[in-house]
Amino acid sequence: MQIRDLPYTDPGEPDVRSGPRFLYWLGRNQLGGQLKALGWGLLQQCGIAGLPLTVGFAVQAAVDRSGGRLALAAGLNVLLGIAIAVGDMMLHRTAVTNWITAAARVQQLLARKTAELGSALTRRVAAGEVVAVSTGDVEKIGWFVEALSRFAAAAAALLIICVGLLVYQPALGIVVAIGVPVLALAVLPLLPRATRRADVQREKAGRATELASDTVAGLRVLRGIGGEELFLGRYREASQEVRRAAVRSARMWSLISAVQVLLPGLLLITVVLYGARLALAGRVSVGELVTVYSAVTLMLFPLQHFEEIAMAYSFSRPSAKRAARVLALQRVTDPAGTDTGVPSGPHADPTGDLYDPATGLLAPEGRFTAVVCGDPDAAGRLADRLGGHAPDAGGQPSVLLGGTALDELPLELARTAVLVQDKDPVLLSGTLRELLDVPSSRQVDAVDALAAARCEDVLEALAQASADPGGDPMDTRITERGRSLSGGQRQRLALARSLVTDPEVLVLDEPTSAVDSHTEARVAEGIKRVRAGRTTVVFTSSPLLLDLAERIVFVHEGEVASVGVHRELLHTDARYRAVVTRETDEESKTMQKVEESA
């Protein structure tokens, strides 16, 4: 896989049983790149390992005053230099490719899971954790994949050097062969503590990220209530906790680094002292001593990769665990534990009535149905359920569209058939034209949708904000999440986007909660006009919207309590009237007595 071939056509189905299993799966899918990096790494490391031989050969040639052997040593040094340069260049190129392609695979998996779960994702996983996984964790996972091949090449080079020294000079080679494994394994007792401290640091960093995300999202409200300093103090405290945890983690890693410097130095001193005694006794030549000394010195370079792979694994293991936890989430699971979001065969585009067996809610095809719930949170959950976004099926039967269970449809088809706009829709950054350029039936254009959502003031505000006076407001950029717009303007733009999509079934959760009553009435008329002949379900308690609905369903305590039209239900259902008119208990009882006496 090359960078130019990204994104993957299919990133695959990951093994998400645990963090290490996910890393193993990722490495296995990068096997070709790993083998390439291993080959180039061996060329580089073996070139480095060969330098002591040529240096010792040259020293011995100088001692023996042999010009021919000295020239041969120089030629060998040039060849080894070329091998090291080519190996290092190609190793870096291949290793970085492995890093980027592994990170891209994880990013694609996360994007696919996000699209699959929709709004249910942030209900199951904290927003800060999602941000941490898709940014820092992806980088750490890619680092481990990249470091793995270089570590394998370094380990192979150390093995080759040890075997070569045993053959070349057994007396000194056995000292090196015993010392190198000790050096490589010396840091193992320190790794668990270093890993725990790194885990604590990442946990605190995730909490700080989540706090920062929530603070930025609610900045407008915080300014309104004067709570900026309070939340700033909380974030400052969380940031200091991250700093202290990072310092404690860095101390342990600095200790590991010190061990990696100290022990090789002791080995080098041992080899020099023992080699000098052998040279004085005439058991080794000067050239052999220089060769062994140079080999031990150069072994410090591949030994550094042992520390790096330990750090990479320690940092990537919890990152992989978090990524696996997100990727393991399923859209809907039936009581038997089978993922019903997987398509079981070809399906035609579903049409017909929308029916929820769990509550008894029925939205007839082609009609404007309003749903009234006394509990706004219950309304949000029911809206998600109607679109197949329910976070947990809980053993309840699936919502049916024209007699077809949504959970049995392929995800893409289910999302196309039923579109749910929640009460807090998100606007992506970009121009208004890009915002409304969404997959659609092409039956509703952007102009009609904006007019139906009463976005005239939004267009005027965008025209004024345009860098080109008199320019097209459709080409004016909208800031991230539409923060430069008011809540009502964002809500109406999101509604226009939903109307442009023109799905078979449109579910709107409180689409006019942030606008004034005059605008609300005009928006309600626009929705009814544009959605004529299409199935529309609106969760609301606004009398203006309810009065225009063709059918009203009142849901009480998770079940349909009554069905009718607005004016009829006001007189026949006291609970409905209490929700819609915001009556107090005393007012409701008084009204009920009046009705009974009449």
Side-chain angles (χ1 to χ4, degrees):
M1 187 69 183
Q2 299 297 320
I3 296 177
R4 64 173 175 268
D5 299 324
L6 294 174
Y8 290 95
T9 305
D10 180 12
E13 290 297 330
D15 186 345
V16 294
R17 289 175 290 178
S18 66
R21 286 179 182 272
F22 178 66
L23 288 175
Y24 173 74
W25 175 85
L26 199 60
R28 190 180 63 202
N29 280 271
Q30 303 275 132
L31 188 59
Q34 294 290 336
L35 292 176
K36 287 182 182 179
L38 177 61
W40 292 117
L42 283 175
L43 177 63
Q44 178 208 29
Q45 297 285 352
C46 289
I48 294 174
L51 288 176
L53 290 174
T54 58
V55 170
F57 186 69
V59 170
Q60 193 60 46
V63 171
D64 297 339
R65 299 182 181 275
S66 173
R69 284 187 294 163
L70 189 61
L72 177 61
L76 291 175
N77 264 328
V78 171
L79 292 177
L80 290 176
I82 295 174
I84 293 171
V86 172
D88 186 48
M89 176 182 66
M90 295 306 297
L91 172 62
H92 179 75
R93 178 188 179 94
T94 310
V96 170
T97 299
N98 289 339
W99 185 336
I100 294 176
T101 52
R105 186 187 296 273
V106 179
Q107 286 280 23
Q108 278 189 249
L109 291 171
L110 291 170
R112 185 175 69 182
K113 182 60 63 175
T114 301
E116 176 185 337
L117 294 176
S119 60
L121 175 62
T122 51
R123 293 195 183 100
R124 304 192 202 179
V125 182
E129 184 168 353
V130 176
V131 173
V133 170
S134 59
T135 53
D137 286 340
V138 167
E139 182 180 351
K140 292 180 178 66
I141 292 171
W143 175 29
F144 174 74
V145 173
E146 179 261 347
L148 188 60
S149 54
R150 291 190 286 110
F151 163 73
L158 286 176
L159 180 62
I160 292 172
I161 292 175
C162 289
V163 172
L165 290 178
L166 283 172
V167 174
Y168 179 74
Q169 178 44 253
L172 291 174
I174 194 170
V175 176
V176 177
I178 294 173
V180 167
V182 174
L183 297 181
L185 302 176
V187 298
L188 288 182
L190 301 176
L191 286 180
R193 181 176 296 180
T195 302
R196 286 194 298 271
R197 292 188 179 185
D199 289 347
V200 171
Q201 176 194 350
R202 280 186 293 275
E203 181 181 355
K204 291 184 180 295
R207 291 176 182 172
T209 301
E210 183 176 354
L211 180 60
S213 177
D214 292 342
T215 302
V216 172
L219 189 58
R220 185 188 298 269
V221 177
L222 290 177
R223 285 175 175 170
I225 64 176
E228 291 177 274
E229 288 300 323
L230 175 63
F231 275 81
L232 180 61
R234 290 181 181 177
Y235 180 74
R236 185 182 293 113
E237 182 180 349
S239 178
Q240 289 302 312
E241 288 183 4
V242 175
R243 181 189 62 80
R244 287 190 290 268
V247 170
R248 293 185 71 249
S249 179
R251 285 173 179 167
M252 184 54 63
W253 287 111
S254 64
L255 177 60
I256 292 175
S257 298
V259 171
Q260 291 287 76
V261 173
L262 175 63
L263 294 184
L266 294 177
L267 176 62
L268 187 62
I269 293 173
T270 301
V271 168
V272 170
L273 292 177
Y274 183 55
R277 292 180 59 186
L278 294 178
L280 290 174
R283 296 175 57 185
V284 299
S285 65
V286 174
E288 290 174 334
L289 178 59
V290 171
T291 298
V292 175
Y293 171 80
S294 301
V296 174
T297 303
L298 291 177
M299 287 173 78
L300 300 180
F301 175 70
L303 278 172
Q304 293 175 354
H305 292 290
F306 282 76
E307 178 188 354
E308 182 187 14
I309 195 63
M311 291 183 66
Y313 180 73
S314 297
F315 279 88
S316 65
R317 182 183 57 80
S319 296
K321 181 180 178 181
R322 277 199 295 266
R325 184 164 59 246
V326 173
L327 295 174
L329 298 174
Q330 296 296 329
R331 179 165 70 105
V332 175
T333 305
D334 64 14
T338 304
D339 178 19
T340 56
V342 178
S344 56
H347 295 271
D349 292 344
T351 58
D353 298 343
L354 184 68
Y355 177 66
D356 178 22
T359 60
L361 171 62
L362 173 66
E365 181 182 9
R367 299 183 66 183
F368 185 174
T369 302
V371 180
V372 178
C373 290
D375 182 0
D377 293 334
R381 291 192 296 269
L382 181 54
D384 285 342
R385 176 172 168 74
L386 292 180
H389 297 267
D392 188 2
Q396 295 178 338
S398 170
V399 171
L400 305 178
L401 178 59
T404 302
L406 284 182
D407 292 341
E408 294 178 358
L409 293 175
L411 182 61
E412 182 179 356
L413 185 57
R415 292 289 187 267
T416 303
V418 182
L419 174 65
V420 178
Q421 176 181 306
D422 61 25
K423 65 182 64 178
D424 187 23
V426 175
L427 301 181
L428 302 179
S429 59
T431 65
L432 181 56
R433 193 183 307 279
E434 293 170 341
L435 176 70
L436 300 179
D437 184 17
V438 293
S440 66
S441 65
R442 303 299 177 187
Q443 298 300 312
V444 180
D445 60 24
V447 175
D448 288 341
L450 289 169
R454 301 301 175 185
C455 294
E456 297 87 352
D457 61 322
V458 182
L459 295 175
E460 183 179 348
L462 291 176
Q464 293 176 355
S466 175
D468 180 18
D472 190 348
M474 297 291 290
D475 295 324
T476 302
R477 293 194 65 81
I478 299 174
T479 57
E480 181 189 4
R481 300 178 68 90
R483 299 189 191 283
S484 59
L485 304 174
S486 68
Q489 291 174 328
R490 289 196 300 270
Q491 193 175 59
R492 281 176 285 149
L493 280 183
L495 175 60
R497 179 178 59 189
S498 299
L499 294 176
V500 166
T501 303
D502 190 35
E504 182 67 28
V505 179
L506 177 60
V507 180
L508 303 172
D509 186 7
E510 295 288 355
T512 58
S513 60
V515 300
D516 59 79
S517 57
H518 177 67
T519 304
E520 183 179 30
R522 299 171 65 199
V523 170
E525 293 173 355
I527 295 174
K528 187 173 182 178
R529 175 178 58 82
V530 172
R531 294 291 298 172
R534 304 288 261 174
T535 307
T536 306
V537 181
V538 178
F539 285 79
T540 184
S541 59
S542 167
L544 294 172
L545 277 170
L546 296 173
D547 200 36
L548 289 175
E550 300 172 73
R551 172 186 171 91
I552 294 177
V553 179
F554 177 52
V555 178
H556 181 67
E557 295 183 353
E559 294 182 353
V560 173
S562 56
V563 179
V565 294
H566 176 56
R567 298 181 185 276
E568 173 189 340
L569 291 177
L570 280 176
H571 296 290
T572 60
D573 193 322
R575 292 176 300 184
Y576 172 82
R577 183 175 58 247
V579 172
V580 174
T581 63
R582 278 72 169 176
E583 286 181 349
T584 63
D585 291 340
E586 290 297 326
E587 291 172 337
S588 179
K589 291 178 182 179
T590 302
M591 182 63 69
Q592 189 173 1
K593 290 179 181 179
V594 171
E595 291 175 354
E596 290 175 354
S597 62

